[in-house]
Amino acid sequence: MAIEEGKTYTIPIGPVHVGLKEPITAWLQVDGERIVDVRIRPGAIHRGIEYMARERNPIQVIYLAERICGICSFAHIISFVRAVEDAASIPVPPRAKYIRTILLELERIHSHILWAGVACYTFGYDSAFNLGMLLREKVMDVLEAMTGNRVNYGVGTIGGARRDITFQVAEAIKEMVEYYKREFSYFYNAVTEDPIVKARMRNVGVLSEQDAVKYCAVGPTARASGLRVDLRWSSPYEAYEDLKVEPIVPQDYFGNAQGDVFDRFFVRVMEVYQSLEIIEQCMDGLPEGPIMHEPKPAKLLNLLKTADGVGQSSIEAPRGDDTHVVKLTQAQENVTWWKVRAPTYANAMSWPIMFKDQEIADAPLIINSIDPCISCMERMLVVNEKGSSTIATKEELIRMCRDKTRRLMHR
């Protein structure tokens, strides 16, 4: 077929594509090799986890929260249990806060290394991908030694943590820190010093600082655009209240932030080193004492039944702000309602800006550059007005959502 000059064509990518980790569909409107517009549609893997929570008590919901995402499962647990602790006014022992923080940073390390390796695989640098996967095994071994699992650790609970740090685990953590200080620079140099790799990432998928604010980007995506945003710094929680955490932004290293894929790579790599420092500080300052407010589940559940209110928690997950809101009703065992806003839900809004005037070959890299978790962001809206079937406008959906929320909060 002959291509007419000045005419654009639509090329679909997904929902199943070799360059995508999860199913998502993108329709690229192209003029030759240049992308002039894009339309992205998620919705292939909604699981209804928030709805299922209404048939479970808060302790049971912990295991649902952990399965929102396999990579940042512990971040979702901590955000959820902190929301429940806020609603029920349950204190957390200091030692448990430090254990939670160490696990959060271990998870951040393995998440960032995984993303960096997959990014290299996306543009064909398989040697760096294999090196990244090899390096990631060390932190996965520590997580397995500490929790018994490599995925879905099962150690977070309401009012504390379910596993303590033993002498053997402490030694494994210290050895891991030294390993990464010694070995991780080889991966960083292999990527950043390769001119072809830099050419594939520089000036690709650009998101300016202004657009990052306008489209509410969060986490490494926002920091790569120059925004100093990090909940560990601006709204410290857990052991971060005792630590000094500064947002990592490219302008502190290069003089300016370009907001491209390379800057997103750089921010995540530098956050691996930052996480190692945080873990060292936590291990040095780990307090003595209990790790749970109430170790017996039956007594904890009875305590939760007396709670009546709404709790909210936002933490800095590997991908950005992870917010959970929970409603508990007195004398009711199950969760009344639960709302989750994962960071991908915010970062995906900036995809159309990143695609503008880019090449078709860079599309999978641009999509993956925000480290998307489609399972995290999938949501479903059910509208049932007196049994009728209608098409609602955006304004009507917002109004119905607000009205429903008010009714639930005052139930």
Side-chain angles (χ1 to χ4, degrees):
M1 181 183 69
I3 298 178
E4 299 179 24
E5 186 176 353
K7 184 176 181 179
T8 61
Y9 295 84
T10 301
I11 298 178
I13 292 182
V16 178
H17 188 276
V18 67
L20 302 179
K21 296 181 290 183
E22 294 180 82
I24 189 170
T25 305
W27 287 276
L28 308 180
Q29 189 175 349
V30 300
D31 180 5
E33 290 288 321
R34 185 175 62 90
I35 301 171
V36 297
D37 198 7
V38 64
R39 182 163 59 94
I40 296 177
R41 186 187 70 184
I45 48 176
H46 176 74
R47 297 166 293 169
I49 283 181
E50 291 173 348
Y51 182 80
M52 287 191 286
R54 300 184 184 184
E55 300 176 352
R56 290 164 171 79
N57 63 54
I59 298 176
Q60 293 171 326
V61 175
I62 291 174
Y63 303 96
L64 280 180
E66 191 168 33
R67 282 151 182 82
I68 291 176
C69 175
I71 303 300
C72 50
S73 60
F74 194 70
H76 281 292
I77 281 186
I78 296 305
S79 192
F80 170 74
V81 299
R82 282 177 54 80
V84 173
E85 290 159 2
D86 181 36
S89 301
I90 295 177
V92 179
R95 185 175 179 86
K97 289 184 177 182
Y98 273 71
I99 294 172
R100 287 179 176 184
T101 302
I102 291 169
L103 277 165
L104 285 169
E105 293 306 317
L106 289 171
E107 186 172 73
R108 194 181 317 277
I109 291 172
H110 98 72
S111 175
H112 283 351
I113 296 178
L114 174 64
W115 176 88
V118 171
C120 292
Y121 172 80
T122 303
F123 53 73
Y125 196 2
D126 287 0
S127 297
F129 166 73
N130 292 327
L131 179 57
M133 295 304 99
L134 178 64
L135 289 169
R136 180 172 172 261
E137 280 303 299
K138 178 61 71 172
V139 67
M140 299 305 293
D141 288 343
V142 170
L143 285 166
E144 185 176 8
M146 189 172 179
T147 69
N149 299 304
R150 288 168 63 90
V151 182
N152 296 340
Y153 316 118
V155 297
T157 190
I158 298 165
R162 296 181 62 242
R163 294 287 185 276
D164 205 345
I165 295 180
T166 63
F167 174 79
Q168 291 79 6
V169 170
E171 291 299 308
I173 292 174
K174 293 176 183 177
E175 195 273 331
M176 180 210 71
V177 171
E178 294 302 319
Y179 171 81
Y180 280 126
K181 285 182 177 181
R182 183 177 66 252
E183 301 291 338
F184 192 65
S185 60
Y186 293 110
F187 175 77
Y188 174 74
N189 294 335
V191 177
T192 58
E193 295 180 1
D194 189 307
I196 297 177
V197 172
K198 291 186 72 172
R200 285 302 308 270
M201 293 195 291
R202 269 300 182 201
N203 301 314
V204 173
V206 175
L207 181 69
S208 68
E209 183 176 353
Q210 294 75 20
D211 284 334
V213 173
K214 183 178 179 180
Y215 290 91
C216 304
V218 296
T221 302
R223 291 191 284 276
S225 295
L227 296 180
R228 295 185 186 275
V229 290
D230 192 322
L231 291 178
R232 299 173 297 172
W233 167 67
S234 59
S235 303
Y237 51 92
E238 303 300 338
Y240 299 114
E241 297 172 347
D242 303 330
L243 309 175
K244 185 178 181 181
V245 181
E246 294 288 338
I248 292 178
V249 289
Q251 60 264 33
D252 289 346
Y253 300 85
F254 306 126
N256 69 304
Q258 297 186 31
D260 54 16
V261 175
F262 183 87
D263 279 351
R264 288 172 212 136
F265 175 88
F266 176 80
V267 166
R268 288 185 174 95
V269 167
M270 296 308 295
E271 286 186 0
V272 170
Y273 289 110
Q274 183 184 52
S275 293
L276 295 175
E277 295 177 359
I278 292 172
I279 291 170
E280 281 189 308
Q281 293 180 56
C282 287
M283 292 300 296
D284 292 340
L286 186 64
E288 298 293 334
I291 61 172
M292 281 190 276
H293 173 68
E294 176 50 69
K296 295 184 178 180
K299 289 186 177 181
L300 178 60
L301 188 57
N302 289 332
L303 180 62
L304 292 170
K305 287 179 182 178
T306 65
D308 189 89
V310 177
Q312 185 270 342
S313 172
S314 293
I315 73 166
E316 188 70 25
R319 296 174 172 96
D321 302 9
D322 182 24
T323 299
H324 287 236
V325 185
V326 178
K327 164 72 172 177
L328 301 179
T329 302
Q330 191 172 15
Q332 178 178 308
E333 181 174 316
N334 293 344
V335 170
T336 306
W337 55 261
W338 171 39
K339 178 63 181 174
V340 181
R341 199 204 76 160
T344 302
Y345 194 79
N347 287 328
M349 301 299 108
S350 58
W351 265 331
I353 303 300
M354 297 178 186
F355 273 104
K356 192 71 173 178
D357 294 325
Q358 301 297 313
E359 300 291 324
I360 297 175
D362 292 327
L365 180 59
I366 293 171
I367 291 175
N368 288 329
S369 70
I370 70 168
D371 193 9
C373 179
I374 310 305
S375 298
C376 285
M377 66 173 281
E378 293 287 22
R379 298 290 178 270
M380 180 173 64
L381 181 64
V382 178
V383 179
N384 187 359
E385 293 286 335
K386 299 180 181 179
S388 63
S389 177
T390 59
I391 298 177
T393 65
K394 175 183 175 182
E395 290 73 21
E396 290 171 336
L397 288 175
I398 292 174
R399 176 184 57 79
M400 286 187 282
C401 181
R402 288 172 177 169
D403 291 344
K404 180 70 172 178
T405 301
R406 290 192 191 99
R407 291 196 296 271
L408 287 172
M409 292 181 67
H410 294 91
R411 180 181 290 179

